[in-house]
Amino acid sequence: MSSSARTKALVIVVVTLLLLWFIGDRYGMRSKDRTYREVVLSLDTAKVKAFTIEPGGTLRADVRVVREGSLWRLYCKSDTLRVDNKYVLDVLVPLADMRVKRQVGTMDLVKDRYELSDTLADRMVVELNDGSKQELLIGKSTFSPKGPWSHVNVPGEREVFAVDGKLSMVTEMKVEDWRPRTVVNGDPKNWTRLHYRFPGNDYVLQRSNGIWMLDSVHSDTARVAGYLSSLARSEAHSAAPGASLDSLPEVATLTITDVSRPSPIVVSIYATRDARFLLHSTLNPDNLLWFDAERELPRLLRPRGNWLPGATPTSPLNPGI
């Protein structure tokens, strides 16, 4: 190769390298220079005094949830109700440490794809005790191999991020969905006495020295343990807003003595005039609940003979109520 050819080849190589360097520097192809935030939000949830959900579109009204001591209350237009704390946790837990799973683009390019435009995005406004506020736009949820992701944007910033969880499950809830449906809740280790009263049965299951007794007879320990574990997290299928117990007969009760509470848990069932049942629990005093006798009764009430060793497990699908 002649000296002239070698010189031309060297010039071409140098120019090519310079061009590649320019492109990489201009368009951010050098990954070591590209950085994104790792955390979208990090809040001390103990300092959250309220949050507001402003649904996208015009079909749903804004919902504001306010802390009242250890409880939370929802306000929506003229409606107000005490809400189930577990739904509040569904909101607050992700906000405590909302980590980025992926940066999916910028608002100008992907806001429509992930439903973050002005007409589609749900806006959440979190109010803190010091008077400051934190806002978050919540868009479309998708599914990844490791579970659901939500797509979010901090108003005023360009980036759209994917984060763990399906925040839209909360932002799309109707007002009535926030009502507590708790029937019984607690730790069976703190329960010492269960008094059942329903047609054909009026008996007490009592724990003595760690053993559940039926009168003076030992109960089937394994069966009682399984039943109590299920009972401790029982909920009704739906609330009954607007229902009344006026003149309705009480047809069944379960009273649970819990040493960790100042008063017993009392669950009462009432028969309605249209052959349905309403339930009231002292753990959920503000709400009446619809009671499904076929699905929910076996979890709540069992005939006396069910607890005897060697007895065939039964459930009162129709105990006369």
Side-chain angles (χ1 to χ4, degrees):
M1 179 181 291
S2 66
S3 176
S4 176
R6 284 196 301 269
T7 301
K8 289 182 179 179
L10 181 60
V11 170
I12 292 173
V13 170
V14 171
V15 170
T16 301
L17 290 174
L18 288 173
L19 181 61
L20 290 174
W21 176 86
F22 174 79
I23 293 174
D25 185 69
R26 175 65 179 82
Y27 295 101
M29 294 176 65
R30 294 183 300 172
S31 60
K32 65 179 181 181
D33 291 337
R34 176 178 294 180
T35 59
Y36 300 120
R37 64 197 296 170
E38 296 181 354
V39 178
V40 180
L41 284 178
S42 181
L43 297 178
D44 182 350
T45 56
K47 297 180 179 179
V48 174
K49 70 175 184 180
F51 60 86
T52 301
I53 297 173
E54 302 173 4
T58 58
L59 298 180
R60 292 177 291 147
D62 295 355
V63 168
R64 189 165 187 264
V65 181
V66 180
R67 189 193 296 268
E68 296 182 349
S70 62
L71 303 177
W72 293 79
R73 179 164 290 277
L74 177 147
Y75 297 88
C76 180
K77 293 186 175 179
S78 60
D79 293 327
T80 180
L81 55 93
R82 185 172 70 83
V83 304
D84 195 322
N85 280 13
K86 71 178 182 181
Y87 297 133
V88 176
L89 290 177
D90 288 342
V91 174
L92 297 185
V93 170
L95 300 181
D97 187 27
M98 183 177 285
R99 293 192 168 270
V100 174
K101 304 303 293 185
R102 180 177 295 174
Q103 198 268 5
V104 298
T106 56
M107 283 289 281
D108 55 334
L109 297 178
V110 301
K111 65 180 180 181
D112 292 327
R113 181 191 309 172
Y114 293 110
E115 298 180 0
L116 286 164
S117 63
D118 292 340
T119 57
L120 295 176
D122 296 325
R123 181 184 295 266
M124 183 180 295
V125 182
V126 182
E127 303 172 37
L128 302 178
N129 291 334
D130 63 4
S132 63
K133 295 182 179 181
Q134 177 67 62
E135 297 188 23
L136 186 70
L137 296 181
I138 301 171
K140 183 179 181 180
S141 295
T142 58
F143 288 90
S144 73
K146 295 185 178 181
W149 282 357
S150 295
H151 294 86
V152 300
N153 166 259
V154 177
E157 297 187 9
R158 298 179 64 243
E159 293 81 9
V160 174
F161 300 106
V163 299
D164 272 330
K166 191 175 181 181
L167 296 173
S168 60
M169 289 183 64
V170 176
T171 60
E172 294 175 358
M173 287 173 60
K174 300 176 182 178
V175 170
E176 290 303 323
D177 295 337
W178 289 84
R179 287 185 184 274
R181 293 178 288 113
T182 303
V183 176
V184 177
N185 182 270
D187 186 346
K189 293 179 181 179
N190 296 323
W191 297 351
T192 59
R193 189 175 188 270
L194 291 86
H195 183 188
Y196 300 84
R197 186 182 63 78
F198 55 95
N201 289 266
D202 189 345
Y203 69 92
V204 172
L205 194 63
Q206 187 157 342
R207 190 171 62 189
S208 176
N209 296 322
I211 299 175
W212 286 98
M213 306 288 292
L214 191 63
D215 299 328
S216 60
V217 180
H218 285 202
S219 67
D220 186 320
T221 303
R223 189 176 300 164
V224 173
Y227 162 78
L228 295 181
S229 177
S230 175
L231 179 65
R233 58 181 187 277
S234 60
E235 293 186 342
H237 179 67
S238 61
S244 172
L245 296 179
D246 289 348
S247 302
L248 297 183
E250 182 183 76
V251 294
T253 61
L254 169 60
T255 304
I256 303 172
T257 301
D258 184 330
V259 296
S260 68
R261 300 179 186 273
S263 56
I265 303 168
V266 181
V267 180
S268 304
I269 300 174
Y270 300 82
T272 68
R273 297 175 182 83
D274 57 355
R276 293 194 295 171
F277 303 98
L278 284 170
L279 180 148
H280 179 268
S281 170
T282 55
L283 293 184
N284 191 1
D286 296 338
N287 295 289
L288 293 176
L289 308 168
W290 288 118
F291 185 72
D292 183 335
E294 183 172 353
R295 185 180 69 88
E296 296 168 332
L297 193 58
R299 170 177 283 190
L300 194 65
L301 304 175
R302 300 287 177 89
R304 183 181 186 281
N306 185 81
W307 309 118
L308 298 175
T312 301
T314 59
S315 60
L317 294 182
N318 186 11
I321 66 174

